[in-house]
Amino acid sequence: VQNPSLPNAQPNNSGSYTVTVTNTLPAGSCSATGITTVGIVPSGTIAVTPNFTLCQGAALNLVSNATGAPTSYSWTGPGPFNSTQQNPTINNVQAANAGVYNVTAYYTSPATTLVCTSTAASNVQVVGTSPTNVTANPNNLCQNGNTSITTVAPGAISYLVVGPNNFNSNLQHAPINNIQPASAGVYFVTSTFAIGTVSCITTGSAQVNVIPVNPVVVTPTVATCSPNNAQLSANSNGATGFSWTGPNSFTSAAQNPLLFSPTPAASGIYMVTASYNNGVLTCFNTNSVQLTVYPKLTFTLDAYKQMCYNTLLNVPGPAGATSYSWTSSTGFTSNSQNLTIPGIQPNQSGTYTLNVS
């Protein structure tokens, strides 16, 4: 045929093609020949990962798989990015590295100067992350106080807070109320960032210090007779100091103060405050003591009495006591204020003693 066609030409079709043109005339036939050289470049297709989604800071590995035998590659992308490697890597990708990456494979042949190409594209998405900054407000507090774990991580879609005493929360501002010493320690927060099904995390932490505030143990009621001394006492585990206040402007920094020869005017409520300290914060707890100082009743009785047989013996006791107790060497007893014996007999002679409270 005048213009033959080679469908689906392959590299082995390269070479010299000769055409002979023949003209038939009455006097005979004439012919002429011509030669053309055909060069077929062995090209192929190139395949890449069509979509990448990866975390900020990760390494982006661009991989191209080309059929045939390409002689070179060319990558272009955001940034602007370019590379002549078949499989280039971008370390520590950032949001600016997101976008479309195009790769071109180049095919050549010694049989021709023609350069054939094959192209493909990868769409890269970068999940933006930010540092997780965690604070405890306050981070030093007394037992039974309240604090909150606050997280700042712009762009995060969720949070996970874990800490001592099996604490966990999904709140950006996670409260801890009525805190106890077992809840002291480090609280860790994981912030999550995502695009589609790909999620990335950053973490942070904060320290919480809890000062134990223990009960203040006292003797709740102290009683003494004037002018005896009165002993006050207090105890509390972990306390670093004590402070007492009471009637008549009484103050003391002793843990167990002694009141020397108190009068009944010293009676009343005494308040003790225990302090607890971790070097940064001081906490307090209190308790109270009721002190009663009873007055001592001083009195005298007739030292000696002589009575006539069968007459009335009357010895007055002092007024103002709570109770009275008469005893005698003769076995006589009485709880009356006054010693009264009508018609006293000789066998009732003896020593009579009065005790008052």
Side-chain angles (χ1 to χ4, degrees):
V1 295
Q2 181 178 355
N3 301 308
S5 175
L6 281 78
N8 190 26
Q10 299 299 316
N12 57 10
N13 295 124
S14 298
S16 297
Y17 287 76
T18 302
V19 58
T20 301
V21 180
T22 301
N23 290 328
T24 302
L25 302 172
S29 61
C30 299
S31 64
T33 61
I35 298 175
T36 184
T37 301
V38 175
I40 299 176
V41 179
S43 62
T45 59
I46 186 169
V48 297
T49 303
N51 293 288
F52 276 100
T53 302
L54 66 164
C55 298
Q56 177 179 327
L60 170 60
N61 298 310
L62 297 168
V63 177
S64 60
N65 294 302
T67 59
T71 56
S72 63
Y73 294 86
S74 175
W75 283 89
T76 60
F81 170 79
N82 61 79
S83 175
T84 58
Q85 296 180 4
Q86 179 182 356
N87 304 311
T89 297
I90 303 175
N91 294 313
N92 190 29
V93 295
Q94 302 297 313
N97 299 118
V100 178
Y101 288 78
N102 295 292
V103 59
T104 300
Y106 296 90
Y107 300 83
T108 61
S109 172
T112 178
T113 59
L114 177 67
V115 177
C116 298
T117 62
S118 180
T119 62
S122 286
N123 183 41
V124 175
Q125 297 185 90
V126 178
V127 181
T129 61
S130 60
T132 295
N133 296 310
V134 185
T135 57
N137 187 23
N139 67 325
N140 284 287
L141 68 161
C142 303
Q143 181 178 346
N144 303 318
N146 301 326
T147 189
S148 178
I149 306 299
T150 298
T151 305
V152 177
I157 61 172
S158 65
Y159 307 89
L160 176 61
V161 186
V162 296
N165 206 26
N166 298 319
F167 178 85
N168 68 80
S169 173
N170 294 317
L171 300 177
Q172 185 176 4
H173 303 281
I176 308 174
N177 298 322
N178 192 31
I179 197 168
Q180 300 301 308
S183 296
V186 179
Y187 287 77
F188 295 92
V189 180
T190 300
S191 302
T192 300
F193 310 79
I195 294 178
T197 59
V198 177
S199 60
C200 308
I201 63 171
T202 61
T203 61
S205 64
Q207 172 77 40
V208 174
N209 302 309
V210 180
I211 302 176
V213 177
N214 293 305
V216 180
V217 180
V218 298
T219 303
T221 302
V222 176
T224 188
C225 295
S226 178
N228 296 336
N229 298 334
Q231 179 75 64
L232 304 177
S233 64
N235 186 49
S236 183
N237 290 335
T240 57
F242 294 86
S243 176
W244 287 87
T245 59
N248 305 315
S249 301
F250 173 82
T251 61
S252 175
Q255 180 177 350
N256 304 308
L258 182 66
L259 281 73
F260 294 95
S261 302
T263 66
S267 298
I269 300 295
Y270 287 74
M271 184 71 68
V272 60
T273 299
S275 58
Y276 314 80
N277 186 279
N278 70 345
V280 177
L281 178 67
T282 301
C283 304
F284 304 95
N285 200 6
T286 62
N287 206 342
S288 61
V289 176
Q290 171 69 55
L291 172 64
T292 303
V293 180
Y294 295 104
K296 184 175 183 180
L297 186 60
T298 302
F299 66 96
T300 58
L301 299 175
D302 293 339
Y304 183 73
K305 270 187 171 296
Q306 287 183 319
M307 302 294 299
C308 293
Y309 162 79
N310 214 27
T311 59
L312 172 64
L313 172 62
N314 184 51
V315 179
T322 303
S323 63
Y324 300 83
S325 176
W326 287 93
T327 59
S328 78
S329 59
T330 65
F332 173 85
T333 61
S334 173
N335 296 118
S336 299
Q337 175 182 344
N338 302 321
L339 172 61
T340 301
I341 302 177
I344 193 167
Q345 301 299 310
N347 61 1
Q348 292 177 307
S349 297
T351 300
Y352 289 77
T353 302
L354 172 61
N355 286 309
V356 300
S357 295

